[in-house]
Amino acid sequence: MSGAIVKRTPFFKILIANRGEIALRIMRSARRLGYGVVAVYSDADRDALHVREADQAVRIGEALPAQSYLKIDAIIAAAKASGAGAVHPGYGFLAENEDLAQACRDAGLVFIGPSPEAIRAMGNKAGAKEIMQKAGVPCVPGYQGADQSDTVMLAEAKKIGFPVMIKAVAGGGGRGMRLVADAAAFPDALRSARSEAQGAFGDPTVILERAIVDPRHIEIQVFGDRHGNAIHLGERDCSVQRRHQKLIEEAPSPAVTPELRARMGAVAVQAVKAIGYEGAGTLEFLLDRAGNFYFMEMNTRLQVEHPVTEAITGLDLVELQLRVARGEPLGLRQEDVTFSGHAIEVRLCSEDAGHDFMPQSGTMARWQMPVGIRVEHALQSGSEIPPFYDSMIAKVISHGATRGEARGRLICALEQVTAFGVTTNQGFLIDCLRHPVFAKGEATTAFIGNNCDVLLTPQPDRGSDLALAALLLYVTNPHAPPWQRGRSLSATFPLGLRIDLGHGMQEIEIVRERDGSYVATRNGDRFSFAIDELDQDSIRFHHDGLMEQARFLRDDNRLHILHRGVTLSAHDLTLAPPESAAAAGGDGKVRAALNGRVVAVLVKAGDKVAAGQPVMTLEAMKMEHVHTAGVAGTVSAIDVAEGEQVTTGKIVVEIEAAA
């Protein structure tokens, strides 16, 4: 199934058909092996770090992926223009696209990945399931027929029995995937999954599967070469997910015994040998509580979470990819693969976990990663995070002798992450790692859903947080008396501040005392601070008998603070007018909640709508986000069209409120 043996042309320069952290990751191994590296970029990535770090870079189109990173002809032309002899697709975009692999073959370029035939066979979820079923591998019951009509799909879903899972046959990463509880919700979920799959992968085809309740998501890393060798590198547990996208991955899995690992590994190796697979691949399984495992799909590429496998095996998976691609044998037997310790990776994403994981874009004003731990990223202070691509902006990976040690190191590292200017899921990841269920190694794919009351419920503003924000707003105000060590000549008058930490405006007073200390008062509660050191971006102070420190960034009326591992964003509303009805959402105008592209207008002028009714769907960072009516009434205007790119705050639908 791997196709005819193709003579490998030696290559000395590699074009990386991707962006961001994975492009930099590939560059690192490629350069260590003596290869030149070429980057590609869209208009949105012209100044991106992966472009600056490459030996050469080629523009391939406009910002949207369909106009740049998904353009096969542009990728091939860029390789030819730069003199690259090989193409590495990374992950996402065209990484599992057989047409790119075939185009490389036709152009005399080495595709660093499996053959077009293998990608076609295993990259398509429906086809892969058929192959596995013939091989006797247990698969989740479902429907993967050619008839994709709405009527047939609904009938097949009813045969399978709800709840069912809708999955795009192409790609991965949770795009084009929907869990459907009943027949009534099926039509809307099917439309949404198809739309998302078309936008992300260019193919709206989907399959149906029975939803297995509360499973573990276990994947087996495999490698094959053109000489018929194949091995597995153990498993990864990827059960902690939101919207079917992985957030935390670890190796080995707390739920997999050595015996189960041997069985799953043997199945995976047998599968890749059967199709003559070359390069890196991953077989993904669902593991139920009884220890039964079911094949889901095969990813015919490098995985986002490959660093945890590298950490426990000591192998460089990108190096193995490059060696296999140039025709070398793996040089490893199964008995040569050993595992050491435990590794955990988290995906730091530009998203607001407290608001339905809404993706965030904008300028990362300050970016500082922890030292002494592996971090994969492609940002620096001042970097722009565009709204067109995946929301993952960094991966933080820890390795320890035990799982507990790895978890502790990762928590400490995340507490040191400085990401000011764009909201991230930093605090949410820390909460997940600290949660007793995860700490015990008992998390399933239902972990976030089952614990959302603890993980996702917004916490009220603490008085101490407000007090610290008031202190920093006061001492960083250019018109305030400058801070100096020691006693003050005189006390200052109390200054009233209005501050929003994300949960509404709060009032607090602050004053500097004669002894040089500062007192913040809120609702009769007093918080006293003595400053020991104050720099441009950090403060060291005494509070409640403890010496503490915090990092901060003042940006006009915005103040970003990292304190005790928590990032706060304070908005100084002291001089701002009272909140208007428009800002509160009561003016009948639906505004875009994020930068994105209109993929569905769900109402038309003249329609009667109820408060909370969906009226429009925007797509950002490869995910769809439904916008709803803020008031009941009649739609008076539609201000955008399908396919249009809109910015945060733009009015998209206008509603005349009912009398």
Side-chain angles (χ1 to χ4, degrees):
M1 193 172 294
S2 61
I5 297 295
V6 178
K7 184 178 180 180
R8 297 301 171 95
T9 303
F11 56 90
F12 307 97
K13 185 186 291 186
I14 300 169
L15 180 135
I16 303 167
N18 219 295
R19 64 182 298 276
E21 59 87 18
I22 184 55
L24 290 176
R25 164 70 189 93
I26 295 166
M27 287 181 195
R28 188 168 67 244
S29 290
R31 281 180 165 148
R32 184 170 57 79
L33 294 177
Y35 294 107
V37 290
V38 181
V40 294
Y41 64 92
S42 70
D43 288 344
D45 281 338
R46 182 180 183 86
D47 297 318
L49 195 58
H50 78 276
V51 176
R52 298 182 182 185
E53 291 293 319
D55 301 323
Q56 297 171 290
V58 183
R59 177 188 178 273
I60 54 171
E62 299 176 22
L64 289 174
Q67 299 167 348
S68 51
Y69 295 105
L70 293 176
K71 290 176 63 178
I72 294 175
D73 57 345
I75 298 294
I76 300 300
K80 291 290 189 181
S82 63
V87 173
H88 195 307
Y91 42 68
F93 294 133
L94 295 169
E96 295 178 278
N97 188 296
E98 67 267 24
D99 293 334
L100 175 62
Q102 185 64 52
C104 287
R105 177 187 288 178
D106 295 342
L109 301 169
V110 174
F111 180 74
I112 301 173
S115 67
E117 293 81 9
I119 295 175
R120 187 174 298 113
M122 299 302 287
N124 182 288
K125 292 180 175 65
K129 284 187 69 174
E130 290 180 6
I131 292 172
M132 289 296 158
Q133 286 170 338
K134 291 177 181 177
V137 178
C139 295
V140 180
Y143 171 75
Q144 51 261 6
D147 191 335
Q148 293 277 303
S149 66
D150 293 359
T151 302
V152 168
M153 296 298 281
L154 178 58
E156 292 294 335
K158 290 178 178 178
K159 286 181 185 178
I160 295 167
F162 290 95
V164 299
M165 190 72 76
I166 303 173
K167 288 185 176 182
V169 299
R175 265 82 69 181
M177 186 181 296
R178 296 292 185 274
L179 176 62
V180 189
D182 52 47
F186 187 82
D188 283 345
L190 181 62
R191 183 214 60 79
S192 180
R194 284 171 170 164
S195 172
E196 202 168 82
Q198 176 66 45
F201 315 116
D203 184 352
T205 309
V206 297
I207 65 172
L208 305 177
E209 289 182 349
R210 177 184 298 162
I212 297 177
V213 179
D214 292 355
R216 295 266 193 166
H217 185 141
I218 307 295
E219 58 188 32
I220 304 291
Q221 175 71 61
V222 294
F223 255 95
D225 64 26
R226 66 185 322 205
H227 306 283
N229 303 308
I231 59 172
H232 74 84
L233 303 180
E235 84 284 354
R236 296 184 289 256
D237 193 318
C238 309
S239 299
V240 179
Q241 305 175 5
R242 56 93 176 90
R243 291 178 175 158
H244 311 296
Q245 289 185 297
K246 304 162 188 173
L247 282 182
I248 303 176
E249 300 105 344
E250 59 182 311
S253 167
V256 174
T257 63
E259 294 76 19
L260 181 57
R261 179 176 304 116
R263 281 197 293 132
M264 296 181 76
V267 165
V269 169
Q270 179 181 338
V272 297
K273 280 188 173 182
I275 62 172
Y277 190 85
E278 294 182 37
T282 304
L283 279 80
E284 304 204 357
F285 299 90
L286 293 178
L287 177 68
D288 67 19
R289 295 184 182 278
N292 303 306
F293 60 92
Y294 303 91
F295 173 80
M296 288 194 299
E297 63 190 46
M298 182 176 184
N299 297 126
T300 53
R301 54 171 166 81
L302 194 69
Q303 293 279 92
V304 174
E305 56 273 19
H306 75 273
V308 295
T309 297
E310 292 183 327
I312 66 169
T313 62
L315 299 171
D316 182 331
L317 270 60
V318 175
E319 177 182 343
L320 284 177
Q321 283 188 298
L322 298 180
R323 294 191 182 281
V324 167
R326 67 189 186 194
E328 296 181 19
L330 271 172
L332 284 171
R333 298 169 301 173
Q334 192 63 57
E335 53 266 33
D336 297 326
V337 179
T338 58
F339 306 105
S340 174
H342 199 97
I344 309 176
E345 170 185 298
V346 294
R347 303 189 188 192
L348 188 68
C349 300
S350 55
E351 62 186 22
D352 188 346
H355 291 84
D356 196 29
F357 298 100
M358 186 77 73
Q360 307 289 302
S361 56
T363 302
M364 188 62 76
R366 180 159 300 158
W367 178 258
Q368 186 176 347
M369 292 295 98
V371 296
I373 198 166
R374 180 173 176 178
V375 183
E376 301 284 355
H377 70 96
L379 296 179
Q380 53 191 356
S381 295
S383 289
E384 286 293 322
I385 299 177
F388 312 105
Y389 314 118
D390 193 89
S391 64
M392 189 185 76
I393 55 176
K395 304 182 305 196
V396 187
I397 306 102
S398 68
H399 182 230
T402 65
R403 184 174 186 270
E405 184 178 300
R407 188 176 69 92
R409 286 180 177 175
L410 190 51
I411 292 171
C412 289
L414 281 171
E415 289 178 336
Q416 299 172 47
V417 167
T418 302
F420 292 160
V422 179
T423 301
T424 75
N425 62 343
Q426 173 186 7
F428 176 75
L429 292 172
I430 293 173
D431 290 343
C432 286
L433 293 170
R434 284 178 171 159
H435 195 283
V437 171
F438 183 85
K440 294 176 184 177
E442 297 175 352
T444 68
T445 55
F447 170 71
I448 291 177
N450 289 345
N451 298 285
C452 59
D453 55 337
V454 174
L455 298 172
L456 295 174
T457 301
Q459 299 299 311
D461 294 332
R462 297 186 306 170
S464 58
D465 290 337
L466 280 166
L468 178 58
L471 171 69
L472 287 169
L473 285 170
Y474 184 90
V475 299
T476 59
N477 189 312
H479 303 295
W483 172 80
Q484 58 185 10
R485 190 183 301 276
R487 299 178 63 85
S488 176
L489 294 177
S490 62
T492 60
F493 290 106
L495 175 65
L497 297 172
R498 293 189 298 162
I499 302 172
D500 184 0
L501 290 180
H503 307 122
M505 189 269 293
Q506 304 285 338
E507 295 186 355
I508 193 166
E509 279 190 347
I510 189 162
V511 63
R512 185 173 188 186
E513 305 281 31
R514 288 183 179 275
D515 63 0
S517 66
Y518 296 80
V519 175
T521 305
R522 179 206 185 200
N523 297 333
D525 296 327
R526 288 168 53 89
F527 303 88
S528 181
F529 300 90
I531 298 178
D532 297 289
E533 291 181 5
L534 180 63
D535 297 321
Q536 186 177 0
D537 60 1
S538 65
I539 185 173
R540 189 162 58 87
F541 58 93
H542 275 82
H543 172 62
D544 283 346
L546 296 174
M547 181 183 288
E548 299 190 64
Q549 58 186 357
R551 299 176 193 164
F552 65 88
L553 174 67
R554 175 92 187 234
D555 182 13
D556 293 329
N557 292 327
R558 289 281 183 181
L559 178 71
H560 307 285
I561 310 169
L562 176 63
H563 179 228
R564 298 180 182 174
V566 176
T567 297
L568 304 170
S569 181
H571 190 190
D572 185 1
L573 300 175
T574 306
L575 301 180
E579 183 181 41
S580 66
D587 63 345
K589 293 179 172 61
V590 180
R591 293 170 172 82
L594 68 169
N595 294 342
R597 184 171 62 92
V598 178
V599 295
V601 178
L602 306 175
V603 293
K604 61 182 182 296
D607 284 356
K608 302 287 186 182
V609 295
Q613 179 178 331
V615 295
M616 185 163 295
T617 304
L618 297 184
E619 180 189 63
M621 293 182 170
K622 301 184 180 179
M623 300 297 290
E624 290 192 350
H625 304 274
V626 176
H627 287 52
T628 60
V631 298
T634 303
V635 176
S636 57
I638 306 293
D639 299 298
V640 294
E642 289 190 9
E644 184 177 340
Q645 191 73 29
V646 298
T647 56
T648 303
K650 177 178 173 57
I651 297 172
V652 293
V653 175
E654 298 179 53
I655 301 168
E656 184 177 340

